[in-house]
Amino acid sequence: MNFLSHFYFDRHTTDPDRVIGVVLPDLVKNAKKEWSFRPEKQETALLQNTSLRSIFTGWKRHIEVDKHFHSSDFFCQHTQRIKNLIAPILVSSPVRPSFVAHISLELMLDALLLTNSKVEAEPFYARIAEASRPALNNFLELNKVDDTSPFFSFLDEFIKASYLNSYREAENIMYALSRICMRLWEDPFNETQKLQMTAVLIDYQHDLQSDFMLIFEEIDSIVN
């Protein structure tokens, strides 16, 4: 799941350290894709401090939610349908249709949460901006990061840009998808593919409108 979808399950949480922990696995991955954390190996140290404990609790929550989401019938069925629709468009693209289907579904869910007022982006950004920087720095160092500055530079820009609000416009999903793919492939899509993909994803998001909350209700019944 993407940022706002993870936030959905802790949208009523007032603890900013827990909230940033909930999205920290994705923030870390976006800040530097080479980083790979195993914070459970540092559990004793992470439980010694209130803020660190909250961040770690949020981290574990993220892993649990993703586990249920990626093993759900909802995820399997919709990613397969999206893959079937976009595969003919991506014949000449280096990008795997299964990867695009996975990311597209997660972006659409974030967009639908916003447009249906299930979450708001402003409280999300406000919470993570309030999170303890010393605790975050400590968390990173415990996970063998010698130079934490790239993470905080990314975090500051992430908060400043507030780009998640752009998901309210369906055509912006393709822009976000392109940006993600460009981290892995130099030229993921040509202009024709972008136009064709945009049309497919807008239609799919419209159709998803009727039952997208089912997956949130299913996971909520498990994790809460």
Side-chain angles (χ1 to χ4, degrees):
M1 285 187 152
N2 201 42
F3 294 107
L4 293 177
S5 294
H6 277 288
F7 177 59
Y8 173 84
F9 300 103
D10 283 274
R11 64 197 183 282
H12 301 306
T13 301
T14 58
D15 180 357
D17 295 322
R18 172 163 172 148
V19 173
I20 202 165
V22 163
V23 294
L24 192 54
D26 287 340
L27 290 173
V28 165
K29 184 169 54 180
N30 279 273
K32 198 166 184 178
K33 64 178 183 291
E34 294 84 7
W35 283 343
S36 179
F37 290 4
R38 296 291 300 275
E40 65 275 9
K41 293 184 176 181
Q42 310 298 330
E43 184 167 2
T44 301
L46 291 169
L47 296 179
Q48 298 300 314
N49 173 285
T50 301
S51 290
L52 278 173
R53 187 183 306 118
S54 290
I55 292 170
F56 185 44
T57 298
W59 180 287
K60 290 189 293 183
R61 171 82 142 191
H62 178 109
I63 302 304
E64 182 183 15
V65 166
D66 264 1
K67 180 185 71 174
H68 292 300
F69 176 61
H70 292 137
S71 63
S72 68
D73 290 340
F74 180 96
F75 175 81
C76 295
Q77 291 169 7
H78 282 291
T79 51
Q80 185 60 49
R81 291 173 191 167
I82 297 169
K83 178 184 173 182
N84 291 342
L85 290 170
I86 63 176
I89 300 172
L90 299 179
V91 169
S92 61
S93 169
V95 184
R96 299 188 309 276
S98 58
F99 178 84
V100 174
H102 180 160
I103 302 301
S104 297
L105 179 60
E106 294 186 346
L107 293 173
M108 284 189 273
L109 289 176
D110 266 22
L112 288 166
L113 286 174
L114 279 173
T115 56
N116 287 275
S117 299
K118 300 298 183 181
V119 298
E120 298 295 336
E122 288 78 9
F124 167 72
Y125 284 116
R127 289 283 186 279
I128 64 172
E130 294 166 356
S132 169
R133 295 293 177 108
L136 277 170
N137 193 74
N138 198 354
F139 185 94
L140 295 171
E141 290 178 341
L142 285 169
N143 282 280
K144 315 305 180 187
V145 175
D146 295 324
D147 180 10
T148 62
S149 60
F151 173 81
F152 288 105
S153 294
F154 171 80
L155 179 61
D156 288 339
E157 182 57 34
F158 178 81
I159 294 170
K160 180 181 178 182
S162 299
Y163 76 90
L164 295 176
N165 269 314
S166 71
Y167 293 177
R168 292 182 182 278
E169 303 298 327
E171 58 269 20
N172 287 334
I173 297 297
M174 188 62 221
Y175 174 78
L177 178 61
S178 294
R179 296 285 294 181
I180 292 168
C181 289
M182 284 171 64
R183 297 182 196 138
L184 302 172
W185 295 277
E186 186 174 348
D187 294 304
F189 312 113
N190 60 39
E191 291 305 313
T192 299
Q193 288 169 330
K194 288 179 184 178
L195 289 172
Q196 293 173 330
M197 290 272 291
T198 298
V200 168
L201 297 180
I202 287 176
D203 286 347
Y204 202 91
Q205 183 172 317
H206 180 267
D207 293 342
L208 195 58
Q209 173 83 27
S210 62
D211 67 353
F212 82 97
M213 281 303 296
L214 292 175
I215 187 58
F216 292 98
E217 292 164 2
E218 177 184 327
I219 295 175
D220 209 17
S221 70
I222 297 170
V223 302
N224 285 326

